[in-house]
């Protein structure tokens, strides 16, 4: 790595390539992959990751253009700079893949994830859960006399933080969507 | 458009429109409608193989020797699963083939029907792309798209899975010209600025080398011509991978021979010591690089490849050029000539002096015998007796394959068909069949070991049926020679399961198939026996009994760099260190 240790935002596309391709530092990148929405396309992408031993931290997919039958797959992955470059190149080889964007290096981007939390508890714990949910701008989408279900959106870090707070307050179940991300501007 | 056609009719029409003249296949329940259409026409020839794996290898042999797309047709279930090895082989070696497989009717998919397999699921990782066609309306355009994907960019195998009800149903045919144009259009032209940079590097290089691969051959005849011109213009030495043999002539004055694990000493040392490496259509395979950390440590590296994922995958390069070899070489030559550039002739001459010193080691020497046929001798004689003939060579996999690459010379591309990436024993015989179908009057020889050869020996039936005069040149050492060699080097000479017991009498076997059998065990009889094989108009099995414990050298022991080669007559004891032992 360069002495600047710049990870995010530095790339081959910037004026100065500050990332050492041979460094063994592990980076986390968010990739957006635009694909034809055809049978088996998700299996091709996942099969590439498992077959070549790459990591998937999260993956979301949905059709984004009904007329053009294209879907957007958002993948959060980790690896050394060389591995990340290789992942992008390998994704680009898949025939129904139209575009591969590395949002982590292409400039600022917004990353959001949605999660549902079921928190069971009574008395003070229940009140505290509700109060913290308010702080985190989580919505109550279901409630019983002994539980709340919260809906929260935000960065993965925010959701992690909320989960840590809910754990001692009776966190019973959680579902996360994985990251959806767009470049800013 | 015109009157409706059945799916099966569309398939045959689409193949004709794609210029297909031969299909290698094997019928079964799920492809009967297609076979019925094949029966009713004469334009496309069907070659009935004896096993679906052989159909795919034959299509590969056809494709490699012609530059066209090879086609195989197999039934559902076991037909498709038998094709998997051939598909993987074609994927690893970038061979354009289209495999059509039958499938159970759409309404039965997922029910574990008779001869049902999830063919697109099974073949997804071993094809460049595959399709399950669920309605007849999209069938013809899918087949046209399949041919486009197979031959475009980095070529490769594709599979179209066609349920039986789709073959029976009617629809309108989409001609080739009107088929949906795919967004899949790989970039052919290289980046001009980077090509300029390479031209500058060529002008200043003191110890340059061209390292070429199968990409030159896949790019077409123009690429080989341009490569020859570039080598002529620069006077640089050139080496090639196993896959690229023939792109530059073995008789050419700048030829160093093959590089890599069993490559020539001078080629490997030149790779190790160069200051400019120009990789043209090769992929830094592990058989080439040896220990990656010590691979050609002092060189600037340029890499011309049509597949962006090949760049920086194994070796970091300084000048990546993504594009088709012929296009890039054309631009490079134009740029080179336009500015009247010159190489550093003095330094390059000194470099040649060094290389000529390495050549004096004579790394292909072997101790010949008066009484036993050495495999190297057998190939030297075969080379001498077939030189100048219209000759195509295929091989199986193992020692004989490496010896063939070392001792035979190829002056033209498309003349050498061998399983490089996957290393498929049983490849050579069916591949030779595909070559002979494409070049009916040429001499086609499959150089084999007896163990590899037995893996697809059933195809002798096909050769006899279609009068394919392929010569099976079997270097019979009654051993799995390469396995035995590694056991000698790595496992204390404990030869676990690496001998061929209960071998058939190959002469009688040939006769049983209706072919000719020849056996030879005396070096003095070898020339006459080879001539007898060459003069016979029909398929021949040549059982050449050779030295049983010959090692294939030179060799870069696994885990070692290029400059640590084992030469002939050097001790093989403890040649491979513990870290190298885990490598294959």
């Amino acid at each position: 790595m360069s002495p600047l240790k710049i990870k995010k935002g530095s790339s081959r596309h910037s004026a100065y390539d500050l990332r050492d391709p041979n460094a063994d530092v592990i980076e986390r990148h968010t990739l957006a992959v635009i694909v034809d929405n055809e049978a088996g396309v998700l299996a091709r992408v996942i099969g590439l990751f498992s077959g070549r031993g790459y990591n998937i931290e999260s993956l979301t997919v949905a059709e984004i253009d009904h007329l053009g039958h294209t879907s957007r797959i958002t993948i959060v992955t980790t690896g050394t700079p060389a591995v990340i470059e290789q992942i992008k190149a390998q994704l680009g080889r898949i025939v129904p893949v139209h575009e591969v964007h590395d949002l982590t290096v292409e400039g600022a981007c917004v990353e959001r994830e949605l999660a549902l939390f079921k928190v069971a508890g009574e008395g003070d714990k229940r009140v505290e859960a509700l109060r913290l949910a308010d702080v985190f701008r989580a919505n109550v989408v279901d409630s019983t006399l002994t539980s709340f279900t919260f809906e929260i959106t935000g960065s993965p870090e925010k959701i992690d933080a909320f989960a840590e707070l809910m754990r001692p307050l009776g966190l019973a179940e959680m579902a996360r969507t994985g990251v959806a991300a767009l470049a800013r501007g | 458009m015109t009157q409706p056609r059945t799916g099966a009719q569309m398939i045959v029409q689409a193949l004709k429109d794609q210029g297909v003249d031969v299909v290698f296949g094997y019928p079964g329940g799920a492809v009967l409608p297609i076979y019925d259409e094949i029966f009713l026409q004469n334009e496309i020839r069907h070659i009935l193989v004896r096993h679906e794996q052989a159909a795919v290898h034959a299509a590969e042999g056809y494709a490699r020797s012609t530059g066209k797309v090879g086609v195989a047709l197999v039934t559902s279930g076991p037909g498709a699963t038998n094709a998997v090895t051939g598909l993987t082989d074609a994927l690893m070696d970038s061979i354009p083939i289209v495999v059509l497989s039958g499938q159970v009717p759409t309404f039965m998919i997922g029910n574990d029907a008779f001869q049902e397999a999830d063919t697109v699921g099974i073949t997804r990782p071993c094809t460049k792309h595959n399709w399950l066609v669920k309605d007849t309306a999209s069938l013809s355009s899918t087949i046209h798209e399949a041919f486009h994907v197979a031959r475009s960019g980095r070529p490769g195998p594709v599979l179209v899975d066609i349920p039986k009800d789709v073959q029976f149903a009617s629809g309108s045919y989409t001609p080739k010209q009107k088929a949906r144009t795919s967004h899949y259009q790989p970039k052919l032209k290289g980046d001009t600025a980077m090509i300029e940079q390479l031209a500058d590097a060529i002008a200043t290089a003191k110890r340059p080398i061209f390292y070429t691969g199968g990409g030159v051959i896949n790019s077409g005849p123009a690429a080989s011509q341009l490569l020859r011109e570039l080598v002529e213009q620069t006077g640089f030495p050139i080496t090639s991978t196993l896959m690229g043999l023939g792109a530059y002539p073995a008789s050419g004055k700048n030829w160093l021979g093959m590089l890599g694990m069993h490559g020539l000493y001078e080629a490997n040392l030149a790779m190790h010591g160069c200051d400019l490496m120009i990789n043209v259509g090769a992929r830094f395979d592990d058989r080439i690089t040896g220990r990656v950390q010590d691979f050609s440590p002092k060189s600037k590296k340029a890499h011309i490849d049509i597949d962006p994922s090949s760049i920086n995958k194994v070796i970091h390069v300084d000048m990546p050029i993504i594009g088709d070899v012929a296009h890039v070489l054309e631009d490079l030559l134009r740029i080179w000539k336009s500015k009247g550039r010159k190489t550093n002739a003095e330094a390059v001459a000194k470099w040649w002096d060094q290389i000529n010193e390495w050549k004096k080691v004579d790394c292909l020497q072997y101790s010949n015998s008066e009484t036993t046929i050495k495999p190297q001798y057998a190939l030297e004689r075969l080379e001498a007796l077939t030189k100048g003939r219209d000759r195509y060579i295929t091989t199986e996999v193992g020692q004989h394959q490496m010896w063939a690459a070392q001792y035979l010379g190829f002056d033209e591309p498309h003349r050498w068909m061998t399983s490089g990436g996957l290393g498929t024993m049983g490849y050579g015989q069916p591949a030779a069949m595909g070559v002979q179908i494409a070049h009916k009057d040429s001499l086609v020889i499959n150089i084999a070991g007896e163990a590899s050869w037995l893996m697809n020996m059933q195809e002798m039936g096909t050769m006899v049926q279609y009068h394919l005069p392929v010569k099976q040149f079997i270097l019979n050492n009654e051993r799995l020679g390469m396995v035995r060699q590694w056991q000698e080097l790595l496992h204390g000479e404990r030869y676990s399961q690496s001998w061929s017991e209960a071998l058939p009498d190959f002469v009688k076997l040939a006769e049983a198939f209706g072919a000719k059998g020849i056996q030879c065990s005396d070096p003095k009889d070898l020339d006459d026996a080879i001539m007898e094989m060459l003069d016979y108009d029909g398929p021949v099995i040549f059982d050449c009994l050779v030295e049983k414990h010959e090692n294939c050298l030179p060799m870069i022991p696994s885990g070692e760099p290029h400059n640590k080669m084992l030469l002939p007559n050097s001790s093989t004891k403890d040649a491979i260190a513990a870290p190298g032992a885990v490598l294959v």
Side-chain angles (χ1 to χ4, degrees):
Chain A
M1 277 297 286
S2 77
L4 292 171
K5 292 214 192 308
I6 294 176
K7 271 200 264 176
K8 284 200 172 184
S10 63
S11 79
R12 279 156 215 286
H13 310 287
S14 71
Y16 303 97
D17 186 357
L18 299 172
R19 297 188 310 143
D20 175 359
N22 299 315
D24 49 8
V25 58
I26 301 291
E27 299 181 353
R28 177 179 175 278
H29 284 238
T30 305
L31 309 179
V33 188
I34 311 299
V35 301
D36 284 327
N37 184 14
E38 61 180 39
V41 67
L42 186 60
R44 286 180 210 284
V45 170
I46 294 171
L48 168 69
F49 277 75
S50 62
R52 292 185 184 265
Y54 305 141
N55 300 314
I56 297 179
E57 293 216 332
S58 82
L59 185 146
T60 64
V61 56
E63 190 170 76
I64 53 164
D65 178 358
H66 297 301
L67 287 176
H69 295 292
T70 50
S71 293
R72 183 178 177 108
I73 303 176
T74 309
I75 307 168
V76 180
T77 185
T78 56
T80 61
V83 167
I84 300 283
E85 289 302 317
Q86 189 57 210
I87 290 172
K88 288 187 270 179
Q90 292 290 353
L91 284 168
R93 288 175 81 189
I94 298 175
V95 171
V97 167
H98 290 249
E99 297 165 38
V100 180
H101 294 286
D102 186 345
L103 297 174
T104 305
V105 301
E106 284 179 11
C109 70
V110 281
E111 295 188 6
R112 287 293 179 273
E113 189 175 357
L114 185 144
L116 297 174
F117 286 83
K118 190 177 285 174
V119 181
E122 289 171 20
D124 287 350
K125 285 191 174 175
R126 185 172 160 83
V127 176
E128 181 63 5
L130 199 58
R131 196 186 69 80
L132 284 168
D134 193 41
V135 171
F136 274 75
R137 295 198 185 92
N139 298 318
V140 177
V141 290
D142 183 46
S143 64
T144 68
L145 289 175
T146 56
S147 73
F148 286 119
T149 301
F150 299 116
E151 170 210 272
I152 180 169
T153 60
S155 68
E157 292 77 15
K158 175 181 166 183
I159 291 167
D160 287 345
F162 189 64
E164 283 314 305
L165 291 171
M166 288 300 117
R167 218 173 289 280
L169 299 177
L171 176 59
E173 238 185 319
M174 157 166 57
R176 299 173 69 151
T177 59
V179 169
L182 284 179
R184 284 188 188 274
Chain B
M1 270 153 253
T2 50
Q3 77 265 38
R5 298 179 208 228
T6 67
Q9 287 170 335
M10 287 186 199
I11 292 165
V12 172
Q13 187 59 47
L15 293 179
K16 287 178 186 169
D17 285 1
Q18 289 290 339
V20 174
D21 53 9
V22 60
V23 171
F24 302 91
Y26 202 98
V31 283
L32 284 175
I34 306 174
Y35 272 87
D36 204 29
E37 288 306 320
I38 286 173
F39 185 85
L40 294 170
Q41 55 84 52
N42 286 318
E43 282 170 64
I44 296 177
R45 190 173 177 208
H46 181 274
I47 303 296
L48 177 68
V49 296
R50 301 298 187 262
H51 187 293
E52 288 89 350
Q53 183 192 352
V56 184
H57 290 325
E60 283 188 90
Y62 177 91
R64 287 193 201 208
S65 66
T66 59
K68 298 199 288 188
V69 178
V71 181
L73 171 59
V74 301
T75 193
S76 63
T81 56
N82 279 344
V84 164
T85 301
L87 288 167
T88 313
D89 189 273
L91 185 70
M92 291 289 269
D93 286 348
S94 307
I95 308 303
I97 55 168
V98 172
V99 174
L100 305 175
S101 59
Q103 181 55 279
V104 301
T106 49
F107 53 85
M108 292 179 82
I109 288 177
N111 282 340
D112 297 325
F114 176 65
Q115 292 197 327
E116 180 184 356
D118 174 12
T119 302
V120 286
I122 291 169
T123 60
R124 202 174 282 133
C126 63
T127 53
K128 187 173 170 187
H129 195 57
N130 62 13
W131 296 262
L132 170 63
V133 181
K134 284 187 172 165
D135 65 297
T136 309
S138 60
L139 177 57
S140 40
S141 61
T142 303
I143 293 176
H144 293 310
E145 169 81 354
F147 276 85
H148 168 71
V149 171
R151 66 164 78 92
S152 313
R154 181 175 180 174
V158 299
L159 178 139
V160 185
D161 200 27
I162 310 164
K164 196 171 182 181
D165 56 332
V166 173
Q167 299 169 32
F168 272 124
S170 292
S172 61
Y173 177 74
T174 312
K176 186 180 163 190
Q177 302 79 1
K178 292 192 180 154
R180 185 172 71 99
T181 46
S182 167
H183 77 88
Y184 181 75
Q185 303 290 349
K187 187 168 154 264
L188 298 175
K189 296 281 276 183
D191 174 38
T192 315
M194 199 54 90
I195 297 174
E196 293 255 9
Q197 201 180 321
L198 174 56
D200 290 342
I202 288 174
T204 54
K206 291 179 175 149
R207 300 185 310 280
I209 188 165
F210 285 108
Y211 149 46
T212 63
V216 184
I217 292 170
N218 273 336
S219 177
S224 293
Q225 275 314 314
L226 290 161
L227 176 70
R228 290 163 190 222
E229 193 183 340
L230 185 63
V231 173
E232 180 68 36
Q233 289 269 329
T234 56
F236 290 176
I238 174 169
T239 180
S240 165
T241 66
L242 183 73
M243 299 305 300
L245 297 177
Y248 182 83
S251 56
K253 67 179 169 42
N254 296 32
W255 178 239
L256 299 188
M258 182 177 77
L259 81 159
M261 183 173 270
H262 292 288
L264 272 65
Y265 183 70
E266 50 269 36
N268 283 333
L269 282 194
M271 285 287 281
H272 190 78
C274 67
D275 72 344
L276 174 65
M277 178 185 296
I278 306 161
N279 174 341
V280 189
R283 61 181 176 93
F284 295 110
D285 177 84
D286 57 67
R287 301 294 97 166
I288 296 306
T289 59
R291 186 160 64 214
V292 168
Q293 297 89 323
D294 297 320
F295 175 73
S296 191
K298 295 183 192 115
S299 60
K300 286 264 177 215
K301 298 175 185 74
H303 187 179
I304 302 167
D305 203 303
I306 198 159
D307 179 357
S309 79
S310 286
I311 307 283
N312 292 336
K313 182 172 73 177
V314 182
I315 300 291
H316 180 71
V317 296
D318 308 281
M319 289 168 270
I321 300 171
I322 296 164
D324 169 61
V325 167
H327 284 79
V328 173
L329 291 186
E330 191 180 9
D331 287 347
L332 179 58
L333 269 166
R334 188 171 42 72
I335 288 168
W336 178 257
K337 287 180 191 162
S338 68
K339 298 193 180 159
R341 285 182 231 231
K342 295 223 160 31
T343 57
N344 183 344
E346 195 184 333
V348 174
K350 265 176 71 184
W351 177 230
W352 271 111
D353 289 343
Q354 170 66 69
I355 289 170
N356 289 329
E357 282 301 310
W358 289 328
K359 278 188 179 178
K360 284 184 195 153
V361 168
D362 190 13
C363 68
L364 292 183
Q365 63 180 290
Y366 61 94
S367 43
N368 210 352
S369 159
E370 298 273 301
T371 51
T372 314
I373 300 176
K374 290 288 185 137
Q376 301 95 322
Y377 177 72
L379 288 170
E380 277 185 340
R381 293 317 303 155
L382 185 71
E383 169 78 350
L385 296 170
T386 59
K387 206 155 182 69
R389 293 180 67 151
D390 176 19
R391 181 188 80 176
Y392 292 82
I393 300 285
T394 68
T395 77
E396 306 287 345
V397 168
Q399 286 183 318
H400 66 274
Q401 177 191 28
M402 293 297 109
W403 280 317
Q406 291 170 341
Y407 290 91
L408 303 185
F410 299 92
D411 281 351
E412 295 297 330
H414 300 298
R415 297 279 172 160
W416 163 250
M417 273 58 57
T418 192
S419 172
L422 193 64
T424 310
M425 290 172 72
Y427 165 84
Q429 193 181 347
M433 213 160 72
V435 176
Q436 190 80 74
I437 290 285
H439 309 274
K440 90 179 161 57
D441 298 322
S442 305
L443 170 64
V444 182
I445 306 173
N446 174 35
I447 294 169
E450 82 290 345
S452 279
W453 191 84
L454 288 175
M455 281 203 181
N456 267 323
M457 61 168 259
Q458 77 285 344
E459 296 309 316
M460 280 309 291
T462 312
M463 311 242 193
V464 172
Q465 179 182 345
Y466 296 97
H467 309 292
L468 305 176
V470 176
K471 315 303 180 206
Q472 308 293 333
F473 194 70
I474 302 176
L475 297 174
N476 182 353
N477 59 1
E478 301 173 19
R479 301 289 183 278
L480 314 188
M482 195 61 99
V483 173
R484 191 210 61 76
Q485 178 169 341
W486 280 58
Q487 287 171 336
E488 180 184 325
L489 294 175
L490 274 169
H491 295 279
E493 301 182 49
R494 290 180 297 281
Y495 298 127
S496 179
Q497 307 297 319
S498 59
W499 68 94
S500 306
E501 214 162 277
L503 281 171
D505 177 330
F506 285 101
V507 174
K508 281 190 187 155
L509 184 67
E511 285 160 5
F513 274 112
K516 181 180 177 65
I518 301 173
Q519 190 182 61
C520 184
S521 58
D522 189 330
K524 288 186 279 299
D525 302 334
L526 185 60
D527 276 22
D528 288 344
I530 290 176
M531 286 314 296
E532 188 187 351
M533 170 182 87
L534 297 176
D535 290 341
Y536 183 73
D537 181 21
V540 178
I541 300 177
F542 190 107
D543 184 18
C544 188
L545 300 175
V546 297
E547 167 69 47
K548 298 188 199 311
H549 278 202
E550 191 74 10
N551 279 333
C552 182
L553 295 167
M555 177 182 186
I556 303 176
S558 49
E560 298 290 352
H562 278 170
N563 58 346
K564 299 256 170 73
M565 286 200 89
L566 277 184
L567 287 166
N569 309 323
S570 62
S571 163
T572 53
K573 212 154 180 58
D574 303 321
I576 297 180
V582 299
L583 303 171
V584 289

